Each structure stands twice: as structure tokens, then as C-alpha cells.
Amino acid sequence: MGTQDQDDGARRRFDVADAAPLLLDARGVVTSWTRDAERLLGYGAAEAVGRDLAGLLTHGDAVRLPDVLGRCRREGGWSGLLSAVRGDGHPVPVMARITSADESGGPARWLVVLLNAMGDAPGWSMSRSTLEQMVGDSPIGIAVVDTELRFVWSNDALARFGGGPPESRLGLRLADVQPGLDAEAIEAVMRQVLESGETVVGYEHVGRVRAAPHRETAHMLSFTRLDDDHGHPMGVYYTVVDITDRHRARQRLGLLDRAGRRIGRSLDIARTAQELADVAVPEFADAVAVDLLAAVLRGAEPAAGQVEAPDGTVTLRRAGQRSSTEGADAAEGAGAVDAADAAERARAVEGTGSADGTGSTDGAGSADGTGAADGTGAAHGAGAVVVYRADSPPVRCLASGRPWRTERLGPPEEAGWSPVLPAVGAQGSGAPSVLVVPVRARGTTLGVTTFLRRRGKEPFDADDVALAEDLVSRAAVCVDNARRYTRERDAALVLQRNLLPQRLPEQDAVEVAACYRPADELTGLGGDWYDLIPLSGARVALVVGEVPGHGIDAAAAMGRVRTAVRTLAALDLRPEEVLAHLDDLVARPAREEGCEPGPGMDGTQAVGSGCVYVVYDPVDGRCAMAVAGHPAPAVVLPDGSVTFVELPQGPALGAGGPPFESAELLLPEGSTLALHTDGLLARGEQWALDTDRDRLRRALQGQASSLDLRCRTVVDALVPDRPHDDVALLMARTRRLSADRVAQWELPADPAAVAEARKAASRRLAEWGLAELSFTTELVVSELVTNAIRYADGPIRLRLIRERTLVCEVHDGGSTAPHLRHPRTTDEGGRGLLLVSQVTRRWGTRFVPDGKIIWAEQSLTDLGE
């Protein structure tokens, strides 16, 4: 027998069948009835249509019908044996095959084919023409291939999926009629079905077919092996359902799900914009550019209306960009914009950035925004300045707040705009499809996002516009949140910089270094602070403190306490007196509000704050200190040994308790004081004084090339990467003023001693090379010594100190402070302190245990020192 005869014989085996098709809706109700179904079951159309399929089955099968339909929904179809009830009441076994009849893939309709399981129904048989009539009008593509996978039959519906009419398929393989399909994979499934005999239901194939070369399509296929009467395989019967709409819906949901998980993972504006571009490429577009207003990247509020430059252009910043042609460069671009944006924000906060926040134009983009000559957009990568003409689609989107799209970018829109677009393909690959969507959040337009698809792909349609708007709107909220955070954080950092000393004052008493590390990494704000305050007599005050809480509230409270400390320090009080006054200032607001002071107050209150106040005198090396609810300082002696000051612990500020006490010690020159907050030794819930002191001792014993490096090394050694508490460390290495820089005279309480004091001071100034200050110094000495003789008791001591200023001090045994008077023209006296205040930089009084010291300072900077 020849090959043609074998094909004819195979086709004749499909000429007879007892098949009855009918349609069901999603609830299992019959919606369409055929004459074949009427002959098989004995019901007319009027009796069957509108009736539940369960009513046509025996009780047992009617009970399991919902499970069968549920399996159809999950797996796309079902086949098996059912017992139907004919119109005359007799049961009849039928082979049933249920498949989806909805082209969109939804479970709106089911096609049911019933075959008489007892053989031919009495009195009739089905010819090939009847079978083709039954399946010809089916919306489902149906085909039969032989064991060599060549078409022997197909219906007209299959032609809608490409490959031509049924007659042109006969004898051909799938790859011959559908070059765009992955025929190899589909035929592999067919061979598996031929070998195993197991039906494959719900096989999905995604690709492009000849009928729609620019459109990605998706189909669901089911395969069943056909056997002859002897059980030998004859071929494969398969159905095809177009599920492109379902596939695209699934893609959209997947894209939005990824966007929700990947966009907005940080509070960085540029990184969020880059995440939007990364999510959209390549699933949705071949290239994406996210351009934002410069004010947005600075964290500022965008202007209510878009302001054009005098030349009619609008300037934006390329915050994010991604192209499918970038490859490995994409990650580098993302890093570039992060670095550029971080540097921009730093310049803006420090006040060194450009006025418009756009940075220099000599880097990533040309000044006119025309981009590269070849139109690849290479000159407008992430971080670049991008300039658009006023009539360009992006600017129209900015102004209107509505999206814009074109199936192919034509010359009118391309001129002056396409050079700033990212590359979507090789040069000369054709005009891309473009979609521009404004970045809008909370009613404000922040910028625009441009999506591009290269020629050869399906252009953007209305569904794509809706998806892009949803995608961009999600990113826009994240960008606006990041913008608001940037604004608040930059404002907070400015506050913090103004509250903490940017540079410690220059003086000769100590060499100093400080390190501050907040627990709140996002805001960089905390309640810890440190300070160095120059005092009279070449002395300095070293202060470290902390207020409860973290963030901007703690920083504001810290600022109030620090200001109060500096104010009290100017009064030249002893350390315990400074803390006593500070304690009263902190507790007073709580008392005025009717609250009992205590450590449980809100973080905006300074109640419960801690502070250590140290005064060091470089003339004699004496150091006085007091603490309030704060760790005592550590001392590193010149030989490298570390000790901890045994200091009476005072209560926290505002908490109430016993009075504050101070301690005094003599420090050798070259000793290092280490003042720190308790965050330096915090370890979560664990805390042990002895153990923590051992840790601090080991860290302080380390050597470093400079005090600043040593300070940072100590913090790095003791503080984890994510500290539990704010940390402040102030290290001060003591110095001594040499004896030739201090002159001191004991004076009798005799008016004649005034002239001798003037002469002695003048001689010492000449030795110091400060003869230019002799006149004013003699005047100061004369007035201060005269007042001491006239109004005070006890011994009088004159001291000159040559530091960065010339200090004149007069010590007496009196306990009353002099007051500056403004005498009338007729008064004979009272002008002494007025003259002193006019010829010196500053003057004041400080009390000591055996009296008081009146001092005055003269600047040496005018003398070239």
C-alpha cells in the first residue's frame, strides 16, 4: 500500500463518530443545543437550553459535576465517562470532553462533546461532513496530525491563529505553516503524547505568529492521542485557545507586583527614579528615561507653574535611565546618578551648590541639551542636564499633566527632542514608538517619564497608557516621599550642623579632636553634643552631654541645653555651679507646665539629660569637673596608662536630687582627657560598668599618628555599624603654658604700688615684643589695681598671660563684683571700667575661693601674631 493510500485510510478512521456538541455557561447551564445532542439524549432544544447539565446526568454524576467543572477551571479542560439520562428516562453512558470555549481564556463558556460509549446510536451514524460541520463553527482551533506530526485535518478556526486555511495545511508540519512558533517545543509535546498516551491539558505557548508579527501572543494547547480499534496510535488531536488577553493581563499584574516590591526601597530620589526605569525595561519598554525638575532632586517644593527660560526651553535633570542595549552599563549608570545626586544634595545643604541645583554642565550633558549628534542619547545619561524645547511633548505633558503617545516618532516631534532620548536599537533601526507620562503625586507634577519601543515591536496602545500611568503613579508617590524626606533631612542636617561646632576654637590650652555618630542613620540627628568653650585666663571648658531620644526633637532639645551651657560658661562659674543653674533651667519648663520633672518626659524636653563639664587651666595644669547623670571622663596619662576619674555622680538634669559636687585634679602635660556619652559603651540590653571600662581602657591604649585618628579609632572599635544609641567622644590632650609666657606680681594695698605695677607690666611687654600694647596695658593695670586697693581687702596679685591674646588679671580678696558705670560729665570718678571696656576686646569677673579676679583681654592678631 502506498503512502497516499495510508493517509486516506487514516483519514477514513475519523469519518464515523457518535458526537454531540453543546455549550455551557460558567455555572454549568446549557446555553446551546445541537441536533446531534437531541439524537443522542432525546431532548429538544426547548427542553435542554437553560437547564443545568446536572439535570441531564444520573444522580451520582450530577453530584460530582461541580468538582469536574472546578477541575476544568484549574486545568483548562477534562475528559472522562459520565452517565446521562435520555429523555425516555433510560441511562446512557457517554464519553465527555470539556474544554474552554472562550477565546480570551476566561471561564465564560465551556464546550462539551459527548460520545456514545455503547457504540453507534441506533438508526444513525456520523459522516465526515457531519463531524466537520460540528467542529467547523467552533471558536476553538482544532487539528489532527498523524504519527509523523503532519496535518491530516484542521478546522477553520485554526486559521485565525495563522498558517493559512485547512486545505493548505494538509501533509505539512507545524514549522512549515507557522515559522514564528516554537514548533520544536510543541512537537516535542506531541511526541510525548504519542509515546505515553497521556493527555496533556493546558500547555501554554508564548511567541509571535505570522498573522501578528509585532504582537506577542499566547495560546493554550491541549493534546490527546488517537488510537485505532486495535489500540495502535493513529495521531494526535489537539485544540488551541487564544489566551493572549489573559497572558497580557498576567504580565501587567506581574509588572505592577514587581514595581511594588522594587520601587521605593530607599528614600533616595534618584535611586527611586532609576528603580522605575529598571522595572520597566525590558518587560514593558526597550528604553526608559525619567526626567525630574531640579527642585525635586534638591528636595524643594516644585513651582506651581513650569517656568521657561528666556530662550523658550525647559531644563530637567535625568534622574534615571535604562535601555535594553546598555547591558552591563546599566548598573554603572544607576551608581552614577546616586553619586551625582548625593553630591548635589551635599552641595545644596552646605550652601556651595549652584543656584538652580543642576550642578555643572560640563559633565553629563551639553549646555543646550541637544545631546549627541548621532541621536543615541549617550550624552544624556543618568545625572545629566536635559533641555527640552517648549513645544516638545515632554513639556506639554508637564504643563497639562496628561500622557502623550505616538505609534512612531515622526519628524515634527523628533526635531530637537529625540537626541536626548535613550538608545533603543542600532543606528538606522527605525523610528520608535514613544509614550510620555507625567510624574504626578498629590496633585503636583514632578517630572516626566518617557517610554520607548523599537521598531519591530507592537506600538504602545491605550492599554499600555493605562498600565504606564499606574506604574508611574506608584513611583511618583515614592519619589515625592523621597523628596519630602530629603527636604526634611537636609533641613535637619542644617540644624544639626548649626547646633554642633563645625570647627572647635583655636586655643593653646589643649589639642582637641571629636567624633559624633548618631543612632538614626537616616536623619543623622541625635541628642548628643560636645563643645569646647574658651574661658578667661587662657582656660577652656570641655563639655559633653546628651538628651533623651533621637531625631529632630532630641536635636532641638540638645540645642537649647547646649546654648544654656555656653551662656552659663560665660559667667565663669565653677563646674558644679554651672550644672546647678543648668538643672534649674531644664526643670523649670516642666514645673511651669504642671508636670513633675523626671526621665520619662517626652523627647522634646531636656529633662533627664546628662552632662559632664570640665574646666582646664594651662597655667598650672589644674582640672576641675562635675557630672550630671553622665559617665565620668577617662584620663590617658603621658605613659599610656588609663585611669578613670572618681567623680561624685550627680543626678540627671531636671530630675531632682542631691546637690552637684566637683572634683579637682592636677594633670601632667600631655595627658589626654576622654569625655564621652554612654552610647560609646552601649551594647543593647547588656551593660556592666567594670567590663565596659575594660573595653574603653583597651581602646584608649591604642596608638595612632594623630589625635583625630585616635578618636575615630576608639569609636570604630567600640561602636557597632548600627549603634544602639547616639555616640559623642571628645578627646583633649593637655598643654602647659611655659613660664616665660606668664608674669605675676604680688602688690601691697598701697596706692604707690600702682605706679610700680605699671612699670613692671611695661617692662614685661617689652620683653615679649609687645611694646605697642604698653599704653593700653598700663591704663588697664592702673584702673584694675586702683579699684582693688580702693574697694577690696586682702592681698592683691597682678598677672599677665601671653597666649593668643594678652590677658591682664588682678586678684583681690573682695567678694563683690564691680559694675560698669556711665558717669555724667560733672562726675569726678567712675570712669575706670568704662575706659577698660573701650580699650580691650572683653573684660569680666570670676570668683575664686579666696576672692575674685577681674580680667581684661587685648587682641594680638593686629600685631601679626
Side-chain angles (χ1 to χ4, degrees), residues 328-385:
D329 296 337
E332 181 180 350
V337 72
D338 288 343
D341 185 62
E344 178 65 34
R345 289 204 311 273
R347 288 194 299 270
V349 172
E350 295 172 3
T352 59
S354 58
D356 62 356
T358 57
S360 63
T361 58
D362 59 349
S366 58
D368 60 359
T370 57
D374 61 359
T376 62
H380 293 86
V385 176

Side-chain angles (χ1 to χ4, degrees), residues 34 53 66 106 147 169 202 242 326 351 495 497 526 542 598 676 682 772 783 789:
T34 63
L53 180 61
T147 54
R169 295 173 179 264
D242 190 340
E326 290 178 2
L495 172 65
R497 290 190 179 98
L542 305 170
H676 63 90
E772 297 178 33
E783 294 298 333
I789 295 173

Side-chain angles (χ1 to χ4, degrees), residues 23-24 99-106 108-112 138-140 241:
L23 289 176
L24 305 178
T99 57
S100 173
D102 194 293
E103 291 185 14
S104 64
R109 293 183 300 170
W110 299 102
L111 173 64
V112 181
S138 171
I140 300 174
V241 177

Side-chain angles (χ1 to χ4, degrees), residues 277-297:
D278 292 341
V279 165
V281 177
E283 287 87 349
F284 181 71
D286 293 305
V288 175
V290 183
D291 299 326
L292 300 177
L293 297 169
V296 173
L297 285 171

Side-chain angles (χ1 to χ4, degrees), residues 148 250 277 384 635 742 822 825:
E148 295 181 357
R250 206 161 47 218
V635 179
V742 180
H822 296 277
T825 55

Side-chain angles (χ1 to χ4, degrees), residues 195 231 285 462 499:
E195 293 174 2
L499 293 177

Side-chain angles (χ1 to χ4, degrees), residues 790-805:
R790 181 177 299 177
Y791 300 111
D793 299 325
I796 300 173
R797 185 184 312 114
L798 170 64
R799 186 168 72 168
L800 295 179
I801 302 174
R802 180 174 179 262
E803 194 213 19
R804 294 175 184 270
T805 60

Side-chain angles (χ1 to χ4, degrees), residues 419-440:
V420 302
L421 298 178
V424 293
Q427 187 75 10
S429 59
S433 178
V434 183
L435 171 60
V436 184
V437 178
V439 181
R440 288 180 57 83

